Amino acid sequence: MLFKRDPAAGETFPVAKTEAEWRAALSPEAFRVLREHGTERPGTSPLNAEKRPGTFACAGCGAPLFDAAAKYESGTGWPSFFAPIEGAVATRTDRSFFMTRTEVHCAACGGHLGHVFPDGPAPTGQRFCMNGVSLAFRPAGD
Ligand SMILES: [Zn+2]
């Protein structure tokens, strides 16, 4: 497995591509969110309404990130989960926009997914507020 440094984060990830490779692999909007820490407009993701059993995978590298059983309606306009698949995501402190938030990214490729907040439902009390464009839904049995 090849490890390459993510210059922005100073971290290594098992899935590493150059900026040009990511640009070629992703839609412009997915590139903006996953690789440039963008945020999609709330209410725009078709995954907000996704309620079937299955798995939400990373749109960048395909790693499974969230089980549909952990999804809930947060009312924010972004797909929200109370827990990730164990080990699938990693976090770092984000101090942009004059706020201190906890940024969430894919543990496999470092792609930016969203943020996690401590106002989620039981059993974890966490709200993983994700950009739908960062995720790819795979219905169970597919
Ligand atoms: Zn990934």
Side-chain angles (χ1 to χ4, degrees):
M1 211 182 268
L2 204 87
F3 284 78
K4 213 189 286 183
R5 284 224 164 259
D6 176 348
E11 293 171 45
T12 57
F13 296 100
V15 178
K17 295 182 198 286
T18 65
E19 183 181 323
E21 287 168 339
W22 282 120
R23 268 190 203 283
L26 299 170
S27 71
E29 176 69 354
F31 180 86
R32 189 180 72 81
V33 174
L34 281 163
R35 307 314 307 180
E36 299 185 319
H37 288 224
T39 299
E40 74 187 7
R41 279 198 302 124
T44 57
S45 173
L47 295 184
N48 280 314
E50 183 56 70
K51 291 181 166 49
R52 288 174 290 171
T55 305
F56 292 84
C58 175
C61 72
L65 301 177
F66 296 94
D67 193 294
K71 189 173 188 284
Y72 73 100
E73 182 48 67
S74 65
T76 58
W78 290 287
S80 301
F81 304 83
F82 58 75
I85 292 170
E86 183 151 11
V89 306
T91 62
R92 71 171 73 93
T93 301
D94 173 3
R95 292 198 175 80
S96 60
F97 300 107
F98 308 101
M99 291 180 273
T100 299
R101 296 178 295 171
T102 304
E103 187 267 354
V104 178
H105 54 274
C106 172
C109 73
H112 172 71
L113 305 171
H115 292 84
V116 60
F117 301 93
D119 58 7
T124 63
Q126 294 190 304
R127 171 170 60 96
F128 286 81
C129 185
M130 300 290 100
N131 291 282
V133 74
S134 297
L135 303 173
F137 180 67
R138 296 188 194 132
D142 257 29

